[in-house]
Amino acid sequence: MRPVLTAAETQALDRETEARGIPVENLMERAGLAVARAAMALAGGAYGRRAVAVCGKGNNGGDGLVAARFLSRAGMAVDVFLLADPADLRGPAAVNLDRLRHTGITPRRFSRAAVDRSLARADVAVDAIVGTGFRGSPEAPYAEAIEALNEGGAPVVAVDIPSGVEGDTGAARGPAVWAEATVALGAPKVGDVLFPGAERAGVLEVADIGFPPDLLRADVVLVEADDARSLLPLRPPQTNKRRTGVVLVVAGSRRFTGAARLVAAGAYRAGAGLVTVAAPESVLPTVQAGMAEATFLPLPEGPAGSASEQAWEVVAETIDRFDAVAMGPGLSTDEETPAFVRRLVAESPVPVVADADAVNAFAGQAGDLARRRSPAVVTPHAGEFARLFGMPAGEVEEDRLGFARKAASETGCVVLLKGPRTVVAIPEGDVRINPTGSPALATGGTGDVLTGAIGAYLARGLAAADAATLGAFVHGLAGELVGERRGDGGTAMDVAAALPEAAGRLRGSA
């Protein structure tokens, strides 16, 4: 798994690297060279091309000054604009300002009109305005510089992170650069891989600039194909349906009969050997009509056609026969259903994945999730997360990683916060960011399929964190396949059907 650095970890990495005897000037030189190479690739060469570099006063700006020097040496005509008084530059940035001047380039103070004129004839631009420590909304002249790059027409290479994007959240609370490519120095930053920053970063290139490998460590990681592949369970040649994962699906109600089918389909397509669907007795005929493979368990229900509190007694008689429980989609929060859900989560002797109404059952009572017998994965989207913790959904989206991490710590559950991009937070503090997915997943029921897939991986023996990680990765790949084939017309059942192919491609990928 690839480390993804926060702003504080980036600063610590710089300090620890310098303590090893590697000067910041050396790192800046390599960073500038990497950015220059990316800029030349975007421009289609160097000789006869023109570049514009817009630089702030910190190390990010110093990287831009080095890039400008290398671009000039390669044969580009380079205009450099500074957002600070040259006298305010310190340390390596000041050193590289002097080196740039010795090449014959005289940086100019930022002027919107002058930058607009230069960008109008440029083949590429370098964004070195602000770095990973930025928070909030940019003010003048930084906001003007960002807007100039966005409106200038030249493709932009961002240094480490697009300016205006928060390094720790990916949020863009004001003007932020739209880059064609971003050169992440040493490791991606959180703002490079979480949306909306990830979209603004364009193509993300990670450049080795000389950090000691043992210092590249972080609590946040980006899941890669090799990581997911290593988690894929294999069926041994001599096995049977009860040894390859038995899942109990608890889902559906009179108003939401399709949810149970989707969860069960996700579980089967992720390799479960046997799935039993527990649903209110009045809806079972409808659920059964669309499912040939599953077995069924009728649950007592209330007047609204959702599971009653007595449903626990029925489930308790058989739950020891299962390896995992996948629950929540379509259950509703009518009458006694939340009480049934809370008791099942608390007393289940096997791992549980709780989604949708199984999350809503704990609204305002998130701490109750910590009182349970077995491992649990909780898979809310932002709205369900907000209800669980009594906060606005918009606030959740502003710091998905931070809130997911806090929720995992408070509940003791693995928390999979759905959305682009899905994050998996582990109670011990680590966070895994899932890079797969597609807009094809933005349709009703795809989360139900994910619930089933995670349930299958739990039943097949994976630890809760690994089941959530693999489920998100393979589900995202399936979404990509559906997007390629169906475009905006893909359905949740299409995603379920694509899970085996997604896992097969992952298993066979180099």
Side-chain angles (χ1 to χ4, degrees):
M1 297 189 185
R2 183 184 288 275
V4 179
L5 302 180
T6 64
E9 288 167 341
T10 300
Q11 294 168 1
L13 178 61
D14 287 340
R15 292 193 302 270
E16 292 173 10
T17 299
E18 192 166 22
R20 292 272 183 97
I22 302 173
V24 174
E25 289 89 341
N26 291 8
L27 301 174
M28 190 172 286
E29 192 75 3
R30 293 170 183 159
L33 177 58
V35 172
R37 286 172 173 165
M40 287 186 279
L42 267 186
Y47 187 75
R49 269 69 169 186
R50 303 188 66 90
V52 175
V54 184
C55 304
K57 66 179 182 179
N59 284 351
N60 193 264
D63 297 333
L65 295 172
V66 175
R69 171 160 46 88
F70 279 114
L71 290 172
S72 177
R73 286 182 180 176
M76 275 196 183
V78 184
D79 291 333
V80 179
F81 294 90
L82 296 176
L83 285 154
D85 189 322
D88 292 336
L89 270 61
R90 296 287 183 271
V95 169
N96 281 296
L97 176 61
D98 288 339
R99 290 176 179 170
L100 184 64
R101 286 168 170 161
H102 285 117
T103 67
I105 296 175
T106 302
R108 290 177 278 170
R109 288 296 300 275
F110 172 80
S111 153
R112 177 65 190 266
V115 170
D116 285 346
R117 287 193 296 271
S118 291
L119 286 170
R121 48 188 186 151
D123 299 288
V124 69
V126 174
D127 161 30
I129 298 171
V130 292
T132 58
F134 173 80
R135 291 185 63 84
S137 178
E139 299 179 353
Y142 296 93
E144 287 183 78
I146 289 168
E147 289 167 351
L149 288 175
N150 286 341
E151 297 168 11
V156 177
V157 176
V159 178
D160 218 15
I161 189 170
S163 292
V165 171
E166 289 189 349
D168 284 349
T169 67
R173 305 182 194 279
V177 165
W178 286 96
E180 188 80 13
T182 295
V183 180
L185 306 177
K189 309 308 180 291
V190 172
D192 291 326
V193 298
L194 291 184
F195 286 94
E199 185 178 11
R200 291 177 178 269
V203 177
L204 184 64
E205 173 188 333
V206 180
D208 179 359
I209 64 170
F211 291 116
D214 63 301
L215 296 182
L216 283 167
R217 55 183 182 268
D219 293 334
V220 181
V221 294
L222 186 67
V223 180
E224 299 181 296
D226 284 346
D227 306 315
R229 188 183 309 113
S230 71
L231 298 175
L232 274 172
L234 294 172
R235 286 188 179 180
Q238 293 182 315
T239 190
N240 59 63
K241 62 188 177 185
R242 291 198 173 275
R243 295 171 61 188
T244 54
V246 184
V247 179
L248 176 64
V249 170
V250 183
S253 61
R254 189 176 298 162
R255 288 180 294 154
F256 305 105
T257 57
R261 294 170 58 187
L262 289 169
V263 179
Y268 266 128
R269 295 298 190 177
L274 185 63
V275 176
T276 294
V277 175
E281 53 193 356
S282 68
V283 308
L284 267 187
T286 303
V287 175
Q288 288 171 315
M291 298 185 65
E293 304 91 351
T295 59
F296 300 93
L297 180 65
L299 299 179
E301 62 184 73
S306 57
S308 69
E309 190 168 4
Q310 287 69 42
W312 164 247
E313 305 302 331
V314 175
V315 171
E317 291 178 1
T318 63
I319 197 166
D320 286 335
R321 303 175 192 173
F322 299 95
D323 300 310
V325 178
M327 62 184 300
L331 280 176
S332 86
T333 54
D334 295 333
E335 302 162 328
E336 299 176 354
T337 303
F340 159 59
V341 168
R342 290 194 292 268
R343 189 162 184 189
L344 176 51
V345 171
E347 299 191 29
S348 172
V350 298
V352 171
V353 51
D355 182 33
D357 288 325
V359 179
N360 292 331
F362 290 89
Q365 304 174 61
D368 289 352
L369 283 165
R371 294 189 284 274
R372 31 167 240 287
R373 293 174 57 187
S374 301
V377 179
V378 181
T379 63
H381 56 55
E384 291 159 351
F385 189 101
R387 287 191 288 275
L388 182 62
F389 288 95
M391 60 191 298
E395 190 175 337
V396 178
E397 293 288 15
E398 289 183 357
D399 187 7
R400 291 166 50 77
L401 189 153
F403 283 117
R405 174 182 270 162
K406 183 179 180 182
S409 175
E410 290 182 2
T411 64
C413 300
V414 172
V415 175
L416 184 152
L417 180 54
K418 292 184 288 195
R421 287 177 159 145
T422 291
V423 299
V424 177
I426 301 167
E428 291 74 20
D430 294 345
V431 179
R432 302 172 182 178
I433 299 175
N434 180 63
T436 62
S438 159
L441 294 173
T443 189
T446 57
D448 303 353
V449 174
L450 174 61
T451 301
I454 295 172
Y457 291 135
L458 286 170
R460 299 182 72 184
L462 293 188
D466 291 340
T469 300
L470 180 61
F473 198 97
V474 175
H475 182 261
L477 289 180
E480 292 172 11
L481 291 171
V482 171
E484 292 169 7
R485 294 166 183 168
R486 305 282 190 182
D488 293 344
T491 67
M493 200 58 83
D494 291 329
V495 175
L499 287 174
E501 183 181 353
R505 288 195 178 189
L506 177 61
R507 184 171 280 119
S509 62

